[in-house]
């Protein structure tokens, strides 16, 4: 575990944002915002990050304050960041598995657009909070059925990792109760799907989180240890749910950038 310094002043903005770019089928309203650092030197390729917002699979937006802060921090650090919207659950329509497919489509979109935006398609990561953290973790898993190759690094903030035993059932997300379709809840639970091929992962969780208790991250960290997966767990003292990476509790921006740099910007590159 790591001790985190208290928040410091905001960084100066040094990036551009291209908003509401389509990345799904033409009949889908969800779009992405692309955060672009300054133009690279000729021949230089930058790592890319897919940012997945939270909101319990029912609310949230790619341009929420937390997402703008994360995207701006990473863009300032030289990353091309796609902050995405995806299928949300309603009483008329469940989110799963469309929400997962949407996140996978965003990764595939960035790989397809790598040449245009000077992105290295072999150096991609994901980051998200809460529901977005859960799906960021799922983006690490190869999915042959969807012809999807996982990412190379993950940062997950206060993620629900076990929907099988979680107190809140998330029935709206799946359109079925947990008792009726436990297979759906297990599919969305990275705790039961992680294996030794999982990429380096940074888990961040508040010790006072009453929505997704911190044992969700602790149990996943223990599983990673068993599997030999490189990982780090940061527990933020007395922090509840949905805190930003810079808040009155802590300034996590340097740690997040340091982690992605170590994995996606190795010195020899």
């Amino acid at each position: 575990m790591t001790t985190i310094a208290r928040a410091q002043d905001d960084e100066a903005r040094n990036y551009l944002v291209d908003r509401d770019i389509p990345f799904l089928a033409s009949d889908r309203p969800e779009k992405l915002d692309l955060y672009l650092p300054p133009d690279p030197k000729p021949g230089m390729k930058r790592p890319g990050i897919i940012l997945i917002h939270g909101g319990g699979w029912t609310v949230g937006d790619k341009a929420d304050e937390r997402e703008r802060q994360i995207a701006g921090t990473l863009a300032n650090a030289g990353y091309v960041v796609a902050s995405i919207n995806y299928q949300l659950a309603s009483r008329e329509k469940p989110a799963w598995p469309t929400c997962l497919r949407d996140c996978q489509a965003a990764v595939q979109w960035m790989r397809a657009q790598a040449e245009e935006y000077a992105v290295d398609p072999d150096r991609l990561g994901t980051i998200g909070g809460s529901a977005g953290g859960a799906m960021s973790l799922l983006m690490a898993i190869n999915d042959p059925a969807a012809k999807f190759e996982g990412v190379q690094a993950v940062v997950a903030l206060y993620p629900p990792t076990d929907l099988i035993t979680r107190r809140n059932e998330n029935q709206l997300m799946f359109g079925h109760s947990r008792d009726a379709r436990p297979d759906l809840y297990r599919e969305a639970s990275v705790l039961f799907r992680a294996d030794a091929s999982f990429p380096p992962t940074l888990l961040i969780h508040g010790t006072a989180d009453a929505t997704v208790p911190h044992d969700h991250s602790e149990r996943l960290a223990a599983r990673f240890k068993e599997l030999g997966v490189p990982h780090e767990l940061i527990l933020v003292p007395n922090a509840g749910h949905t805190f930003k990476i810079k808040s009155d509790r802590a300034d996590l921006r340097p740690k997040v950038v340091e982690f992605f740099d170590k994995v996606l910007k190795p010195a020899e590159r």
Side-chain angles (χ1 to χ4, degrees):
M1 299 179 191
T2 305
T3 301
I4 299 301
R6 293 190 65 81
Q8 300 174 0
D9 293 337
D10 284 325
E11 300 175 40
R13 174 169 167 164
N14 189 30
Y15 56 88
L16 299 175
V17 186
D18 192 356
R19 300 193 185 279
D20 296 324
I21 299 174
F23 72 102
L24 298 171
S26 59
D27 62 339
R28 292 290 302 277
E30 296 86 359
K31 305 291 190 293
L32 65 80
D33 293 343
L34 194 66
Y35 291 70
L36 293 164
D39 290 339
K41 298 175 182 178
M44 177 183 175
K45 300 291 185 181
R46 288 100 42 110
I49 303 291
I50 305 299
L51 169 55
I52 307 172
H53 73 76
W57 290 280
T58 60
V59 297
D61 185 78
K62 59 184 170 57
D64 286 343
E65 183 179 0
R66 175 183 56 191
E67 281 61 44
R68 295 197 312 271
Q69 185 191 77
I70 292 172
T73 296
L74 291 171
N76 274 339
Y79 291 86
V80 176
V81 183
S83 184
I84 71 167
N85 279 342
Y86 52 87
Q87 175 70 55
L88 298 177
S90 66
R91 295 188 182 279
E92 294 74 31
K93 183 185 294 185
W96 187 265
T98 305
C99 58
L100 176 64
R101 298 290 180 246
D102 291 349
C103 295
Q104 292 174 334
V107 175
Q108 292 167 325
W109 178 90
M110 185 168 278
R111 287 189 172 125
Q113 304 301 318
E115 193 67 31
E116 179 176 356
Y117 295 112
V119 173
D120 186 335
D122 296 322
R123 292 189 291 156
L124 299 184
T126 55
I127 183 171
S130 195
M135 290 198 291
S136 291
L137 289 162
L138 292 171
M139 290 301 94
I141 299 173
N142 294 331
D143 187 346
K147 299 181 180 179
F148 175 74
E149 180 182 343
V151 299
Q152 288 72 52
V154 180
V155 175
L157 309 168
Y158 31 86
T161 64
D162 175 6
L163 300 186
I164 290 289
T165 63
R166 187 186 177 205
R167 182 182 68 247
N168 298 326
E169 190 173 354
N170 296 100
Q171 184 168 339
L172 200 64
M173 172 190 175
F174 295 105
H176 298 276
S177 70
R178 190 157 43 201
D179 289 341
R181 291 294 306 272
D183 58 309
L184 298 179
Y185 290 75
R186 187 179 184 88
E187 285 174 6
S189 301
V190 71
L191 181 66
F192 305 112
R193 300 187 60 189
D195 61 26
S197 68
F198 216 88
T201 300
L202 173 62
L203 300 168
I204 300 172
H205 222 120
T207 63
D209 193 334
T211 302
V212 181
H214 57 84
D215 75 295
H216 278 255
S217 286
E218 290 175 316
R219 292 168 64 201
L220 183 59
R223 179 61 177 151
F224 283 156
K225 184 175 181 180
E226 292 175 0
L227 294 168
V229 172
H231 69 282
E232 183 176 356
L233 169 61
I234 295 173
L235 293 178
V236 183
N238 303 314
H241 198 58
T242 71
F243 55 85
K244 298 189 288 292
I245 60 170
K246 178 199 169 185
S247 69
D248 59 352
R249 293 291 180 189
D251 188 353
L252 294 155
R253 295 174 302 172
K255 188 62 188 179
V256 169
V257 170
E258 176 189 15
F259 169 79
F260 277 132
D261 283 354
K262 181 178 179 181
V263 180
L264 299 180
K265 291 183 180 179
E268 63 270 18
R269 310 277 304 242

